[in-house]
Amino acid sequence: MTKQPTVTQWGTETSAKEVWSRVVAAATPAWRERLSSYWEDLSQDTVLFHEGDLETDALEVGPRPLVVSGSVRLAGLLLDGHQADHTLLVVLGELDVENVATVSAMFVAGDARIRGLLFGDSLGDDVFCVGGGLKARALVEQHHHLFVEGALDVDVLVGSKLTAKGAPRKRLEPHEALLPGAWTGEDEDDDGNVTDSTLDTRGLRAMLRAGQPVLADTKLGPVEKALAAVREKVARGEKAPRLSLAQKKLKVIPDEVFSLTALEGLTLDFNPIDVVPPRIGELKALRSLSLEDLPVTSLPEELGQLTALRKLSLRYCKHLTRLPESFAGLESLEELYLDAKGLETFPEVLTRLPKLKKLWWWRFFGTPPEKLRALVDGLGRMPRLTHAGFLQGELGQLPEDLSPLARLQQFKLGMDKAPESEVRRLEAALPPGRLHVGY
């Protein structure tokens, strides 16, 4: 796509009071009321006024306020700013453009059709306000208020500051809706998939100015995309297929997941899934399973059917107080992450896991002495265990007898706060070099 020529000056200088009378005649009361506060802040007594429709390739508004009595139709980009702190565009007819990039205020009295993307970026006090309906592929806002009085026909919303009678078909994160260059990755899962991102506002604006494509394929949602990618890997015969559905706002595990019987890795972290269904036992090939921060209160007995599972994470499962007896069926499990604050005490079923080598306990906040004693004693009853750790939180007084830890190859103590005297006691109880302080 070639960069469109940009027009920066339209209209003739006209009295703001005279133009306001035209605004009153063309707009709804609610739309006019929102505009009035911006109009009152005009630093000059005149505005640029364009009589009739405005049609061109691209339009840049500013620094003078621009009012168009008719419609605005652009083949390319509508943007504002123009090195000004505050600009204003008022369209008394309809708006039809390819993309919009605004850091200030835009008001459209009629319908607005945006064939691509509306990007609003301000400090929270600017708006894009439509008196009619709004049709767009995507709305992307960064502290920018979007108001629509008429019908809403929008595929994707990135952000939250949309006030409208309808709702977008999808709400996505920046990396799910936009192409690389328009966002910055903030977090990744173990497979390197981005799970959290923020807008790169300068990058997005630069891409729009250059006429580059910015929208990713949003026909499929993030869950559907992840499932489709795994199906393609399986079809190509790739080994060790993995599926990450972390932070996808899932309330249930999609049924299609359980049809992926060749799946070797599954990540469901940070979703409001409160029940892990019995069908989890159908994923016989699973070698890695992560259920971090799920609001589950129990786990199904069928979990014990995952005889190939080597790594399981239940960190931050604060409502999970016990492990099922079927846990003993995890005959290949080698590494386990558990929530010390959630579980009532040391689960005895762990002593029956034949290959468990690494056991990491997380979240020590207000841990009573009797629970600490049970955890230390429990670690001593696991003959195959080589690595263990107490991680995150505050450590109180350790039990008097720390000898159950002496045979470990390594014990990690990664606490936000720990009495130096207890650290020294722990160091003395272990062979030299076995204690690792930190994560």
Side-chain angles (χ1 to χ4, degrees):
M1 182 182 298
T2 59
K3 184 177 178 181
Q4 300 284 353
T6 301
V7 178
T8 59
Q9 180 83 8
W10 284 86
T12 56
E13 197 167 298
T14 308
S15 162
K17 184 177 181 180
E18 178 184 338
V19 172
W20 182 251
S21 64
R22 300 284 296 271
V23 172
V24 170
T28 66
W31 185 90
R32 187 172 64 246
E33 183 179 353
R34 286 201 176 94
L35 173 60
S36 63
S37 61
Y38 291 86
W39 201 268
E40 291 168 1
D41 289 340
L42 293 178
S43 59
Q44 298 179 345
D45 293 332
T46 60
V47 298
L48 294 176
F49 182 70
H50 180 86
E51 185 72 65
D53 295 341
L54 191 160
E55 298 188 28
T56 186
D57 288 326
L59 172 66
E60 183 169 328
V61 182
R64 298 292 304 280
L66 172 64
V67 180
V68 179
S69 71
S71 296
V72 172
R73 300 184 181 91
L74 306 179
L77 178 66
L78 167 63
L79 75 161
D80 61 18
H82 199 64
Q83 300 179 346
D85 291 334
H86 189 85
T87 63
L88 176 64
L89 170 67
V90 179
V91 180
L92 301 184
E94 298 181 347
L95 177 69
D96 190 328
V97 299
E98 181 68 24
N99 295 303
V100 177
T102 172
V103 297
S104 198
M106 292 186 178
F107 288 80
V108 181
D111 295 331
R113 177 173 175 260
I114 302 170
R115 297 182 291 279
L117 169 141
L118 162 63
F119 170 43
D121 174 28
S122 69
L123 296 177
D125 56 351
D126 280 312
V127 302
F128 185 89
C129 183
V130 182
L134 172 62
K135 180 180 177 65
R137 279 188 62 193
L139 307 178
V140 179
E141 67 84 9
Q142 175 90 340
H143 313 302
H144 201 91
H145 295 279
L146 311 176
F147 294 98
V148 181
E149 294 185 20
L152 188 73
D153 183 2
V154 171
D155 286 336
V156 172
L157 170 65
V158 177
S160 60
K161 292 181 171 59
L162 170 64
T163 300
K165 297 174 183 177
R169 284 177 276 279
K170 298 173 185 174
R171 292 177 182 264
L172 300 178
E173 298 300 317
H175 66 280
E176 297 168 338
L178 302 171
L179 294 174
W183 49 267
T184 301
E186 297 293 334
D187 199 8
E188 296 182 352
D189 60 20
D190 292 340
D191 300 320
N193 299 309
V194 176
T195 58
D196 189 23
S197 61
T198 55
L199 282 173
D200 181 344
T201 56
R202 299 180 88 183
L204 176 54
R205 195 171 178 86
M207 291 169 72
L208 288 170
R209 276 184 171 275
Q212 298 173 357
V214 295
L215 286 173
D217 182 4
T218 57
K219 294 178 182 177
L220 293 179
V223 173
E224 291 83 359
K225 282 183 181 179
L227 288 167
V230 171
R231 287 196 301 270
E232 289 177 8
K233 290 181 180 180
V234 172
R236 292 196 299 266
E238 293 187 19
K239 295 181 179 180
R242 303 173 64 89
L243 173 63
S244 176
L245 297 178
Q247 298 181 358
K248 294 295 188 290
K249 302 180 179 67
L250 292 171
K251 294 184 179 180
V252 298
I253 303 175
D255 285 339
E256 189 172 355
V257 171
F258 304 115
S259 68
L260 301 171
T261 54
L263 205 61
E264 294 191 12
L266 177 60
T267 301
L268 295 166
D269 301 345
F270 303 99
N271 283 296
I273 298 171
D274 57 9
V275 174
V276 177
R279 292 193 67 187
I280 194 72
E282 298 176 19
L283 301 177
K284 305 293 187 184
L286 273 187
R287 296 161 65 92
S288 174
L289 176 62
S290 190
L291 305 174
E292 294 187 1
D293 201 32
L294 301 194
V296 294
T297 57
S298 63
L299 295 172
E301 293 291 330
E302 289 77 7
L303 188 71
Q305 298 174 10
L306 303 180
T307 55
L309 197 66
R310 293 186 178 182
K311 181 179 179 181
L312 173 62
S313 183
L314 298 169
R315 290 194 307 171
Y316 312 121
C317 292
K318 53 183 175 290
H319 302 296
L320 183 65
T321 59
R322 298 183 181 184
L323 299 179
E325 285 300 306
S326 67
F327 225 72
L330 301 177
E331 58 187 40
S332 300
L333 193 65
E334 297 178 354
E335 187 169 12
L336 177 62
Y337 296 74
L338 291 175
D339 190 286
K341 188 172 178 61
L343 290 170
E344 294 174 345
T345 187
F346 182 86
E348 289 299 320
V349 69
L350 299 183
T351 64
R352 303 201 294 278
L353 293 172
K355 293 187 178 181
L356 190 61
K357 297 177 181 178
K358 299 179 180 181
L359 178 56
W360 312 110
W361 288 93
W362 288 72
R363 293 208 321 138
F364 288 80
F365 297 97
T367 309
E370 57 271 20
K371 180 183 274 192
L372 281 174
R373 188 181 311 113
L375 297 185
V376 171
D377 291 345
L379 295 176
R381 295 196 299 278
M382 303 176 66
R384 300 272 184 181
L385 200 67
T386 59
H387 294 69
F390 292 171
L391 306 164
Q392 193 178 49
E394 300 179 1
L395 182 67
Q397 185 176 357
L398 288 166
E400 184 175 345
D401 182 13
L402 296 175
S403 61
L405 306 179
R407 60 180 180 74
L408 293 173
Q409 294 178 16
Q410 184 186 69
F411 185 84
K412 285 186 179 182
L413 185 68
M415 292 290 174
D416 304 313
K417 290 178 62 177
E420 184 61 32
S421 59
E422 294 304 293
V423 177
R424 289 198 298 268
R425 284 187 59 225
L426 188 56
E427 189 172 26
L430 297 170
R434 301 285 180 89
L435 176 64
H436 176 85
V437 178
Y439 290 94

